[in-house]
Amino acid sequence: HIVIMKNVDPAHADDGLPTIGSLAEVRAVLDRNNTGTDGTDSPNALGSMVLSGPGMVLEILADGGPVRQIMVTMTDDDFAFPVLTRVCREQKWTLLDPETGQRLRFSA
């Protein structure tokens, strides 16, 4: 698992996780990168929107508030990583490995 979040300097991240956009904005970005729902536009029983993309499954909390992070499960690194890299570079998002705390930042 990895987490997508806004690319911020950890030294200036006092206010918690900054927003990466509304659910509609995030979905529009992901839709342009061949990542979307299976046709179901409502959250699952846990309140998450589940999206599928090349080699990955993404979960976004769909509670009506802004999106602050996206949980990503890669099922095929060879397909998922190039897409994630491109999206993160375009949107100034970062990938976080929650197990190690390591962040992968991408410059434009």
Side-chain angles (χ1 to χ4, degrees):
H1 295 287
I2 57 173
V3 176
I4 298 174
M5 52 194 291
K6 185 78 171 179
N7 190 7
V8 295
D9 182 346
H12 298 101
D14 308 315
D15 302 343
L17 290 175
T19 181
I20 60 175
S22 69
L23 181 59
E25 292 167 336
V26 171
R27 286 193 58 194
V29 167
L30 296 172
D31 282 347
R32 288 192 305 267
N33 289 279
N34 195 28
T35 302
T37 66
D38 62 359
T40 306
D41 282 338
S42 57
N44 63 19
L46 300 175
S48 294
M49 181 73 58
V50 178
L51 306 149
S52 298
M56 62 185 149
V57 176
L58 298 88
E59 294 179 65
I60 305 171
L61 182 62
D63 62 357
V67 176
R68 297 186 184 281
Q69 62 184 2
I70 304 167
M71 177 66 72
V72 180
T73 303
M74 288 193 278
T75 56
D76 187 326
D77 295 359
D78 292 336
F79 286 108
F81 200 74
V83 174
L84 290 171
T85 301
R86 182 176 56 247
V87 170
C88 288
R89 184 174 290 122
E90 290 171 358
Q91 300 301 312
K92 296 181 177 70
W93 295 347
T94 188
L95 298 175
L96 170 72
D97 181 341
E99 291 182 22
T100 65
Q102 183 177 22
R103 294 175 187 233
L104 297 172
R105 292 187 178 95
F106 305 96
S107 57

